[in-house]
Amino acid sequence: SFGGFVSFATGWFEWISNMFYAAFSAVGFAYLLSYVLPAVNIPIVAMVTVAVFTSINIRGVKETGRTETALVLVLILLLCIFVSFGLLASQATGSLELSAPSGFLGVLKASAFIFVVYLGGESIAVAQAEIKEPGKTIPRAIILSCIFLMLIYTTIAYVVFRVVPPESLAGQASPLAYVAGQFMGNAGVAVITLAGIIAALTSVNTSVMAQSRVAYALARDGYFPKSIFSLHKRFSTPYIALLVGSVLVVATAATGLVNFVTYATDFGFIIGFIFVNLSLIKLRRDKPNLVRPFKVPLFPLTPILGIATSLLLILFLEPGTLAMGAELFLFGLLVYYIRMVGYLRFRVAFGG
């Protein structure tokens, strides 16, 4: 739709964000594992986790998909156990009369932090080249995923606030584990801890795959070196893109800083979503007769609301994250011009 730097910037932030998301998930997995095995080294566990899933992704899309399916099925089973016992629990002391002490602005701030929990749907579109009938399958999968996620999150929230009052969750290292312990004892804590571990692993698997496809596409369009646009001779996977991205993921995961990586992930994806919504508006105006297997409903209200919401969420990110986002933008601009203009011309232009 836009081409040029806007096209590159969209892919750039998608790539960066998927790598941050992989690091965030790997570090989260390591922290959850430390509840079971306190002696584990969190950065090392995170790095090994990324290496394992990189290896799985190199072996092929089927292996990646089978691993993801198995993990998700176990995760859903564990969450169903939590919800079922929670709905039948007799020691319900909570109240469903919720309030927002910080008002609507507090809700936006919380939304900016938990934005990452909905990013799995975005990864569906990244794998469009390997999906049958992507024009129909991708929109259907994203919509169904979002509906299912909202159903799961709403049901879990209902159980949580049915069992305990909201103020009792403040300061809890793992609120869900605390709630499960109220009506299931130690078994409930184990169920939720295991569910968290599996959820983190599914996210690592998905984001490692997603970052490689974005890098592969950027290389295909000439924005990244051609070497990244290479497929493994045996497995037909973008192994160079996987390895390059995974090295950066490991470097980020080695920090072990969950909050920083969370906000950094959010920033990149939010910027990417703004560009995507702008592209939708431009394509509808410039190419009204383009074949569209799926049309966004309530156009142009839907993309305009998407842009406005994204801009609001950016305002509630940490100042340090915004500064880092600006640095990533400038670094991306530098990469773009070096790549498009050429290193020698760029050096002559700036250094004489």
Side-chain angles (χ1 to χ4, degrees):
S1 57
F2 287 100
F5 180 70
V6 175
S7 177
F8 166 78
T10 304
W12 171 260
F13 279 110
E14 289 286 316
W15 181 57
I16 292 291
S17 298
N18 272 297
M19 289 192 295
F20 276 133
Y21 188 37
F24 162 74
S25 302
V27 172
F29 163 73
Y31 270 107
L32 287 168
L33 188 63
S34 70
Y35 294 150
V36 182
L37 303 171
V40 301
N41 183 294
I42 289 174
I44 290 178
V45 170
M47 291 187 288
V48 170
T49 303
V50 173
V52 169
F53 281 101
T54 299
S55 176
I56 293 173
N57 274 266
I58 288 176
R59 291 187 62 82
V61 178
K62 288 185 178 180
E63 285 73 10
T64 303
R66 288 168 183 167
T67 303
E68 190 74 7
T69 301
L71 290 171
V72 169
L73 288 175
V74 176
L75 174 60
I76 291 175
L77 175 62
L78 293 171
L79 292 178
C80 285
I81 292 173
F82 170 79
V83 169
S84 299
F85 277 85
L87 292 175
L88 297 174
S90 58
Q91 62 269 46
T93 59
S95 171
L96 297 179
E97 297 180 4
L98 302 180
S99 61
S102 301
F104 182 66
L105 294 180
V107 174
L108 284 176
K109 187 174 183 179
S111 299
F113 185 76
I114 66 169
F115 189 76
V116 293
V117 302
Y118 283 98
L119 297 182
E122 182 270 344
S123 299
I124 297 171
V126 172
Q128 51 83 24
E130 295 149 309
I131 295 176
K132 295 180 179 179
E133 297 186 59
K136 294 181 179 180
T137 304
I138 290 176
R140 189 180 302 151
I142 291 176
I143 292 172
L144 290 175
S145 295
C146 288
I147 293 173
F148 192 59
L149 281 174
M150 288 187 285
L151 178 63
I152 290 176
Y153 294 153
T154 303
T155 305
I156 291 175
Y158 174 82
V159 169
V160 168
F161 297 119
R162 176 181 180 273
V163 174
V164 299
E167 55 271 14
S168 67
L169 300 177
Q172 296 293 336
S174 177
L176 280 185
Y178 168 75
V179 173
Q182 300 301 304
F183 59 85
M184 293 177 66
N186 292 333
V189 175
V191 166
I192 289 301
T193 301
L194 181 58
I197 288 173
I198 293 175
L201 292 178
T202 63
S203 297
V204 175
N205 188 38
T206 301
S207 49
V208 166
M209 180 276 295
Q211 66 83 15
S212 68
R213 272 42 177 194
V214 175
Y216 183 79
L218 287 168
R220 177 199 61 203
D221 295 339
Y223 296 123
F224 276 6
K226 290 183 180 179
S227 58
I228 295 179
F229 187 63
S230 302
L231 295 177
H232 196 283
K233 292 182 180 179
R234 178 182 175 188
F235 303 121
S236 298
T237 52
Y239 71 107
I240 298 295
L242 277 164
L243 291 173
V244 170
S246 294
V247 168
L248 297 174
V249 171
V250 165
T252 306
T255 65
L257 301 175
V258 175
N259 285 356
F260 169 78
V261 177
T262 301
Y263 279 117
T265 302
D266 288 345
F267 179 86
F269 275 115
I270 290 171
I271 294 295
F273 289 161
I274 290 174
F275 285 144
V276 168
N277 280 288
L278 287 172
S279 299
L280 171 61
I281 295 173
K282 191 171 187 301
L283 278 174
R284 282 288 189 96
R285 293 184 61 182
D286 294 352
K287 299 181 180 180
N289 298 320
L290 188 68
V291 177
R292 294 179 170 87
F294 175 82
K295 286 188 176 182
V296 174
L298 302 178
F299 179 88
L301 180 61
T302 303
I304 290 174
L305 286 176
I307 294 169
T309 304
S310 298
L311 290 172
L312 277 174
L313 292 178
I314 286 178
L315 297 177
F316 292 93
L317 297 177
E318 289 185 345
T321 302
L322 295 177
M324 188 202 66
E327 292 171 1
L328 288 174
F329 179 83
L330 292 174
F331 185 64
L333 186 65
L334 180 64
V335 171
Y336 175 77
Y337 278 103
I338 289 178
R339 186 65 187 163
M340 293 297 101
V341 177
Y343 171 71
L344 291 178
R345 291 183 180 179
F346 192 82
R347 189 180 67 179
V348 170
F350 282 86

